[in-house]
Amino acid sequence: MSIQTLSADFLLRKHNTELYLMKLIEPKLYFLNVMPTANSDTGEFPTVLKEPTAAEDTANGVMSEPLDTSELSELTEIEISPLNAVLGKTSAVGYKFKYSQKFLNRSDSDARVQNAFSKIAAGMAQKINVLLAQDIVTAASVALPAGLSAWSTAIDPRKDAISMRHQFSPADSPFTLTDAYINDTLYKELETYYMSMDWPFNSDAIDVDGTTFHNVKNSFAGMSDNFLGLDSNIPAGIVETYVDPDFSTIQSSILQDPQKAINLPPALINVNQYREQEAPHNNVFEIWAEIGYSNQEPKGAMAGTLS
C-alpha cells in the first residue's frame, strides 16, 4: 500500500500543521500513557522531592489509624503532612521551518514538506522523551533490587520482575509495578529470550507476568540508568506543559468548549507563522513545546541500571 502524500498547501496551514504534527508526535511520547498532562499558565510548577508514606505518617503520629465505621462512630481526622517541594520550570524544545513561494511551486514540494514534518515530529518526540526520562529518574526514590540477572549474558526476566515488584510494593506501599521502561538494547535481549522460549511478544511492549516492559529506544541517552518502573494506576507525577492559546488551535478549542475538543489530540505544541519582511519574503513556521515534569509521588517511581 502506497503512503498518502498530503499537499504542502494543506499542511502549511497553521491549524493543520499543529494537528498533523501532534498526530505524528503523540504515539512517540512513551511516558504520556502513564502520566496525566496539565497546562501551566506560567510555565512554573511545584515538584515534590520527598513524600512520606501512609505507614510513616501513622508511625510518626501525623496520621492516625482509621476507626471501624458505624452509624455512631466518628471518622478519623487526617492531617495531611507537608510536602518538601521546589519550583520547577518547563523546558522549551522546537524547530524553525522556513520556505519560499518558489519552493511551493516545485513538483516535489508536497513530499518534501511531509518529510520535513516527519523529521520535526521525530526530533521533538525524542527530545521530550529524554527530558521526561531524566526528570523522572532523578525524582525516583525506589532503587532496583539487588541480585538481578545479567541481561546481557544470562537474562531471567520473570524472576527479575518478581523481585522488582516486591521492591516496588513493600507492605506499606499503595503502588504496583505495572509498567517498566527499558532501552532498545535491553529490549532486544528480552525479545531474544521470549523467542528462545517460543512465547508470544511484540516489538513495542512485552507483558512479563503482569508488568509490561516498554521499548523506549534511546530515551535514556546521556544517563547511566537504563530502567524506569512506574504505576499506571497511581501516576508518579504530572507532565506540565505551557501551551499558549494564541499559538495553539487545540488549546484555544479546549478553553472555548472542552466538550467539543474531547476528540482532539492533547495540546502540547505551539505554532507561530509569519512572513519575513526582507526579500525574498520567506514564510516561517516556529514550532515548539514547553514541557516539564512535576513530581508528585517520589515512591511511585523505580529507577536503576540493568547490566
Side-chain angles (χ1 to χ4, degrees):
M1 185 175 68
S2 61
I3 298 175
Q4 180 185 10
T5 301
L6 300 173
S7 72
D9 180 64
F10 174 84
L11 289 176
L12 293 173
R13 297 171 193 167
K14 184 179 175 182
H15 170 71
N16 293 338
T17 297
E18 181 185 6
L19 288 174
Y20 183 72
L21 283 174
M22 278 308 306
K23 179 182 177 182
L24 296 178
I25 292 172
E26 187 181 11
K28 296 180 173 67
L29 298 177
Y30 307 117
F31 304 110
L32 291 195
N33 290 331
V34 290
M35 298 279 180
T37 59
N39 189 53
S40 169
D41 293 333
T42 63
E44 297 183 336
F45 49 86
T47 184
V48 178
L49 299 180
K50 183 181 186 299
E51 181 180 17
T53 65
E56 290 172 337
D57 277 349
T58 302
N60 295 333
V62 174
M63 185 170 75
S64 56
E65 294 281 0
L67 296 174
D68 292 332
T69 59
S70 69
E71 291 183 357
L72 300 178
S73 67
E74 295 181 0
L75 291 176
T76 302
E77 292 184 2
I78 299 176
E79 178 185 344
I80 302 299
S81 55
L83 303 177
N84 181 11
V86 297
L87 192 66
K89 293 185 178 181
T90 55
S91 299
V93 298
Y95 292 94
K96 180 179 287 187
F97 177 76
K98 183 185 296 187
Y99 64 94
S100 65
Q101 189 61 42
K102 183 186 293 186
F103 166 77
L104 287 183
N105 295 331
R106 291 174 47 168
S107 60
D108 62 348
S109 62
D110 294 350
R112 286 181 176 273
V113 168
Q114 193 161 329
N115 185 52
F117 280 1
S118 296
K119 291 181 178 180
I120 288 173
M124 290 186 69
Q126 166 63 15
K127 183 63 175 179
I128 290 170
N129 284 331
V130 171
L131 286 172
L132 291 178
Q134 288 174 341
D135 286 349
I136 301 170
V137 164
T138 300
S141 64
V142 182
L144 279 171
L148 298 178
S149 65
W151 280 46
S152 59
T153 56
I155 182 174
D156 191 349
R158 299 186 71 183
K159 182 179 178 181
D160 289 347
I162 292 173
S163 298
M164 292 172 183
R165 283 192 288 268
H166 282 272
Q167 175 88 344
F168 193 69
S169 307
D172 64 342
S173 173
F175 300 105
T176 301
L177 186 62
T178 62
D179 294 83
Y181 300 85
I182 56 178
N183 63 23
D184 191 62
T185 301
L186 293 174
Y187 198 84
K188 180 182 177 182
E189 297 295 338
L190 187 58
E191 286 181 306
T192 303
Y193 177 83
Y194 265 63
M195 182 178 291
S196 70
M197 303 299 290
D198 200 24
W199 293 339
F201 65 92
N202 64 54
S203 60
D204 298 317
I206 296 176
D207 188 333
V208 182
D209 303 329
T211 298
T212 303
F213 281 72
H214 303 268
N215 183 1
V216 294
K217 311 296 182 180
N218 56 346
S219 297
F220 295 103
M223 289 179 276
S224 58
D225 296 76
N226 57 18
F227 173 93
L228 181 60
L230 297 169
D231 184 347
S232 61
N233 299 311
I234 309 178
I238 300 170
V239 176
E240 297 275 357
T241 63
Y242 177 68
V243 183
D244 191 328
D246 290 338
F247 300 115
S248 168
T249 303
I250 297 174
Q251 181 64 11
S252 178
S253 299
I254 292 172
L255 294 176
Q256 291 175 11
D257 193 336
Q259 194 65 32
K260 287 186 177 180
I262 197 167
N263 293 322
L264 293 175
L268 184 63
I269 63 174
N270 300 272
V271 179
N272 186 34
Q273 182 183 23
Y274 63 91
R275 192 169 187 179
E276 293 180 334
Q277 296 299 315
E278 301 83 9
H281 306 291
N282 288 321
N283 297 289
V284 179
F285 267 91
E286 295 172 329
I287 303 162
W288 75 99
E290 295 187 44
I291 198 162
Y293 174 67
S294 174
N295 190 50
Q296 303 294 310
E297 302 281 356
K299 295 185 179 180
M302 171 191 283
T305 304
L306 292 173
S307 60

